[in-house]
Amino acid sequence: MSKSASPNAKPPKGRLALIAGPTASGKSDCAVELALALEKAGKQAVVINADSAQVYADLRILSARPTEDEMRGVPHRLFGVWDGAEACSAAEWADAAKREIENAHLAEMVPILVGGTGLYIRTLLDGIAPVPPIHEHVREAVRAMETADLYDAVQREDPEYARSLRPADRQRLARALEVVRSTGRSLLAWQRDEKAGGIGDSVQLAPLIILPEREWLYERCNQRFAWMMQHGAVHEVEKLLARELSADLPVMRAIGVPQIADYLRGATSREEAIAHGQQVTRQYAKRQYTWLRHQPPDHWPLKIPENISLPTDFEILFSD
């Protein structure tokens, strides 16, 4: 005789794959390959974007958003769904990702999260500190400041957090200053509080971090930016500039946009724009590489692409 379930039994955790890697690491191809392998095993899958540049509709080329051919018939979600005039925060993305993951589970599909934006991944899994809303007058005053003045102010008013920020990182500097001025507490203090809204404990996670050899990765970065310049990136930036969006918006600070904008304004040559774009791409990949090596839990597997075995590395997804 079969035993009935306990009325207090918890529902089974939904499965969630996570493929993370620096830019140009091949993580998107790996996600599609995993989805197709699951399909052969009789399980449907959906790929969900966790890259902060690929959310923007305006950055199809410069963010290396997957094309229809590269998607290979696998459904993709949260790619190109934000207009560049609206900044997509980590909390807003996490809310959208939760809905997509829930929809996938309701449809008995396996959600495959793919990206390299550590803040997005951390916010989704661990939640976010409950920072109160910023007073509007504080926000307006802070956003009107020059970047150098922002850095000086954060050094004075939140010196501990300032040590973790780059002097040119305007977005994070402004966020740090508006939080300490509006709440009287450092952003670090809020981040140390108990976080809310994470789904890490409610899913059965199958993570994989792709970390290629650095020299191979940097050469891929170089090749990819040069290819972008030949295949529409310049026109993409032309359209962005025509919109006259605020320079503080993430879409206007995305890798490649300032470098190509300088070229279009005549401040640099095409060759200089390519060299600068390649440089900032490599620097970004290096920061992602460092974060992915040191910040995720120790039990998350790190693999070079050649050593990935989908049925083995994602065994729990293939089991019944």
Side-chain angles (χ1 to χ4, degrees):
M1 184 189 308
S2 62
K3 295 182 179 180
S4 60
S6 166
N8 297 319
K10 294 182 179 179
K13 292 183 177 181
R15 296 172 183 176
L16 173 64
L18 168 60
I19 300 177
T23 188
S25 64
K27 56 186 179 291
S28 295
D29 293 337
C30 183
V32 171
E33 290 291 344
L34 175 58
L36 295 174
L38 286 167
E39 184 177 339
K40 289 183 179 179
K43 302 174 186 293
Q44 298 299 308
V46 56
V47 174
I48 302 172
N49 172 48
D51 182 284
S52 61
Q54 290 186 344
V55 299
Y56 292 109
D58 309 76
L59 298 177
R60 183 180 65 83
I61 296 169
L62 281 173
S63 73
R65 202 162 74 220
T67 64
E68 289 293 330
D69 287 344
E70 290 168 337
M71 293 180 188
R72 299 170 65 183
V74 175
H76 281 57
R77 301 288 184 264
L78 301 187
F79 289 85
V81 295
W82 254 268
D83 185 271
E86 298 293 331
C88 175
S89 70
E92 290 169 329
W93 171 85
D95 286 341
K98 289 175 195 175
R99 291 193 294 271
E100 295 295 348
I101 292 168
E102 182 180 7
N103 290 339
H105 287 156
L106 290 173
E108 298 185 347
M109 301 175 75
V110 178
I112 302 172
L113 200 65
V114 60
T117 303
L119 179 60
Y120 275 22
I121 295 169
R122 187 171 59 196
T123 300
L124 175 68
L125 297 178
D126 300 336
I128 193 168
V131 181
I134 304 301
H135 298 307
E136 190 59 35
H137 70 278
V138 172
R139 185 185 304 279
E140 291 177 358
V142 168
R143 300 291 164 154
M145 296 172 66
E146 297 292 334
T147 303
D149 295 333
L150 278 175
Y151 186 61
D152 290 341
V154 175
Q155 284 185 306
R156 291 193 307 271
E157 299 177 40
D158 193 352
E160 184 182 6
Y161 195 45
R163 288 193 288 271
S164 68
L165 300 176
R166 293 178 290 113
D169 194 342
R170 179 177 178 84
Q171 183 179 20
R172 288 183 174 84
L173 288 169
R175 176 62 175 167
L177 188 59
E178 66 186 21
V179 167
V180 74
R181 287 187 173 179
S182 185
T183 71
R185 298 181 70 199
S186 165
L187 185 57
L188 279 178
W190 286 107
Q191 291 175 345
R192 289 170 184 145
D193 286 351
E194 184 176 351
K195 295 178 173 60
I199 67 168
D201 292 335
S202 62
V203 294
Q204 189 176 8
L205 187 66
L208 176 66
I209 298 176
I210 301 177
L211 291 179
E213 297 293 337
R214 286 180 184 263
E215 292 305 315
W216 179 91
L217 178 65
Y218 296 158
E219 182 56 30
R220 279 280 297 257
C221 290
N222 289 342
Q223 292 175 1
R224 193 172 77 171
F225 195 85
W227 183 93
M228 289 174 175
M229 286 290 288
Q230 293 289 339
H231 293 85
V234 175
H235 181 57
E236 197 165 74
V237 176
E238 283 178 329
K239 291 196 295 184
L240 269 175
L241 294 177
R243 298 187 65 187
E244 298 184 346
L245 300 175
S246 169
D248 290 336
L249 285 168
V251 73
M252 298 304 296
R253 294 182 288 103
I255 290 174
V257 173
Q259 293 74 32
I260 296 176
D262 284 345
Y263 160 63
L264 290 171
R265 296 182 182 114
T268 61
S269 68
R270 184 182 181 88
E271 291 73 21
E272 288 172 329
I274 292 174
H276 293 166
Q278 290 172 330
Q279 181 183 34
V280 295
T281 304
R282 293 193 305 271
Q283 291 170 341
Y284 181 58
K286 182 179 180 179
R287 292 195 298 273
Q288 288 179 303
Y289 199 105
T290 301
W291 191 92
L292 290 166
R293 179 174 286 281
H294 298 292
Q295 294 301 319
D298 292 338
H299 64 273
W300 285 19
L302 280 63
K303 293 286 188 79
I304 61 174
E306 295 80 11
N307 290 346
I308 294 173
S309 171
L310 297 177
T312 301
D313 295 324
F314 296 98
E315 183 178 4
I316 66 169
L317 303 181
F318 291 87
S319 61
D320 293 329

